[in-house]
């Protein structure tokens, strides 16, 4: 596990190598970081600490071919905006985890792989729009929460099938009337 504070910049070189590696950020040295091919490689989990604004664009080298990088944003609150651009990724996958802190200020762009946005929090209203979310092929709703007032607008799956999994949630109420993805695969919960 690598623990980094506000001195983290694009010029750092973190290589997790083999195994299961985690980078924990407590802020960044720059307001926005565009990763180089060596900024972060061989890392499976990126944890974002609360109380900071994160804007990052990854390199294709950030995630190895066939590998997955999980971005754990569960500590972020409504005052901690997160802007992530993984569009340079051509052969790896991203998983983004949020508790109740995902807001309209957050922007997520997945890469060419199969990317997942996971929620585990009580959302009375959650608007997921293609102006803020792109190339995310799977939405997962977890925990003992009742997700009410979830809406999807536009094509957040980037022309692919949008998978919606609420199998472990208490219940999910979702409106897809303004969604335009190619197709939908929905797995419901007991609720």
């Amino acid at each position: 596990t690598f623990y980094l504070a506000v001195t983290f910049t694009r010029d750092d070189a973190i290589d997790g190598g083999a195994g299961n590696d985690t980078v924990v950020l407590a802020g960044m040295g720059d307001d926005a970081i565009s990763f180089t091919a060596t900024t972060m490689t061989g890392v499976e989990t990126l944890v974002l600490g609360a109380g900071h604004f994160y804007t990052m664009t990854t390199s294709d080298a950030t995630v190895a071919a066939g590998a997955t990088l999980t971005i754990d944003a569960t500590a972020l609150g409504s005052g901690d905006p997160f802007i992530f651009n993984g569009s340079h990724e051509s052969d790896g996958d991203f998983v983004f985890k949020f508790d109740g802190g995902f807001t309209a200020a957050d922007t997520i762009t997945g890469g060419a792989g199969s990317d997942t946005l996971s929620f585990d929090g009580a959302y009375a209203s959650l608007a997921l729009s293609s102006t803020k979310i792109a190339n995310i092929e799977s939405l997962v709703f977890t925990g003992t929460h009742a997700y009410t007032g979830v809406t999807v607008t536009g094509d957040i799956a980037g022309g692919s099938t949008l998978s919606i999994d609420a199998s472990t949630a208490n219940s999910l109420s979702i409106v897809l009337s303004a969604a335009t993805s190619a197709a939908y695969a929905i797995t419901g919960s007991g609720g």
Side-chain angles (χ1 to χ4, degrees):
T1 301
F2 302 87
Y3 293 93
L4 305 169
V6 294
T7 57
F8 177 65
T9 70
R10 66 179 270 128
D11 297 324
D12 290 316
I14 300 167
D15 184 352
N20 190 2
D21 306 292
T22 300
V23 169
V24 178
L25 291 182
M28 300 185 313
D30 298 320
D31 290 337
I33 293 179
S34 291
F35 288 25
T36 69
T38 59
T39 302
M40 188 175 79
T41 59
V43 172
E44 288 71 32
T45 304
L46 175 62
V47 179
L48 305 178
H52 303 282
F53 182 98
Y54 297 95
T55 300
M56 56 185 67
T57 301
T58 58
S59 162
D60 186 31
T62 303
V63 182
T68 299
L69 174 62
T70 298
I71 295 96
D72 184 340
T74 57
L76 300 183
S78 59
D80 302 327
F82 175 49
I83 299 173
F84 183 90
N85 183 344
S87 62
H88 297 293
E89 184 54 51
S90 65
D91 51 12
D93 301 326
F94 295 108
V95 172
F96 303 92
K97 292 183 176 181
F98 284 89
D99 276 351
F102 187 84
T103 70
D106 300 316
T107 302
I108 308 290
T109 302
S114 179
D115 306 307
T116 301
L117 185 54
S118 176
F119 300 96
D120 186 358
Y123 288 92
S125 175
L126 180 61
L128 305 175
S129 164
S130 59
T131 60
K132 290 291 190 172
I133 301 171
N135 298 322
I136 299 296
E137 291 78 17
S138 181
L139 299 175
V140 178
F141 300 90
T142 64
T144 58
H145 312 290
Y147 295 91
T148 59
V150 178
T151 60
V152 177
T153 305
D155 179 14
I156 66 175
S160 299
T161 296
L162 177 63
S163 171
I164 301 168
D165 183 348
S167 60
T168 62
N170 183 12
S171 65
L172 170 66
S173 172
I174 188 165
V175 177
L176 298 172
S177 59
T180 59
S181 292
Y184 302 92
I186 302 171
T187 304
S189 70

